[in-house]
Amino acid sequence: MYTHQKKYITAGKPIEETNKAILFIHGRGASAESILTLSEHLDVADFSLFAPQATNNSWYPYSFMAPEVQNQPALDSAIEILQELLDSILAQGVKSENIYLLGFSQGACLTAEFATRNAQRYGGLIIFTGGLIGQEINTSRYTGDFAGTPVLITTGDPDPHVPVSRVNETIKIMEEKGAKIISKIYPRRPHTILPEEIEFAKSILSTNHSN
């Protein structure tokens, strides 16, 4: 088991110029550099981009639906990495409603779990094939109110890693906490990101900006 080194890369304009940030959370076996290539397909020229790097290229060792103890202490460490990065952006004067989180696969699960434990008005959440973490969802640790935060959550049916049932559970919990959900379930879609999903993500990134 492992804890994560505090390591991330940045791209785009400096935060003091943009007052808008997007966090890219990579999947298992991927990297901060690889997830940032998604920015080439999104309209993020006026954003500051941040991508944390998981130690060993994995945020936690087992399935997101494994008993949580099997994924510790890596999972808690991953949550802490995101919290510290978010806090550092907020400390630079950026409002939470101008902060967006985007994750794919394992990174999407981590994005959903982190944001729901810290529900507040984000600019938007983009959850490409992911859901809340745990063999059973522990709703007692989800606090706060999304206050209308737009959330895109997608998956394939079937997906080899993320059951549709868990996506539906995640949607229900996030809606109960005030999120505005856009969900798309694609029949027989491979474990990837489709062009249509990118277009949905663009629509979330193009709204709700304030300075």
Side-chain angles (χ1 to χ4, degrees), residues 1-4 56 60-62 67-75:
M1 290 299 191
Y2 51 85
T3 55
H4 297 281
N56 300 330
Y60 42 86
Y62 297 101
E68 187 177 311
V69 65
Q70 295 182 9
N71 281 319
Q72 297 294 9
L75 176 57

Side-chain angles (χ1 to χ4, degrees), residues 95-128:
K95 298 176 182 177
S96 65
E97 58 262 36
N98 284 328
I99 300 174
Y100 297 71
L101 284 77
L102 177 156
F104 171 62
S105 192
Q106 191 187 56
C109 297
L110 185 59
T111 296
E113 182 70 19
F114 171 76
T116 310
R117 290 191 193 190
N118 301 273
Q120 57 189 302
R121 182 58 163 89
Y122 295 97
L125 306 175
I126 298 164
I127 300 167
F128 288 133

Side-chain angles (χ1 to χ4, degrees), residues 111-112 115-116 125 127 132 146 151 153 169-181:
T111 296
T116 310
L125 306 175
I127 300 167
L132 293 169
F146 281 120
V151 177
I153 182 167
E169 284 182 276
T170 300
I171 289 168
K172 181 175 183 291
I173 289 167
M174 296 182 85
E175 282 183 331
E176 288 171 352
K177 298 197 72 60
K180 292 176 63 177
I181 304 284

Side-chain angles (χ1 to χ4, degrees), residues 4-24:
H4 297 281
Q5 296 175 333
K6 296 170 184 175
K7 180 181 177 185
Y8 63 89
I9 60 174
T10 60
K13 296 176 181 176
I15 196 78
E16 58 268 19
E17 290 183 23
T18 65
N19 289 312
K20 290 195 297 286
I22 177 167
L23 279 59
F24 289 80

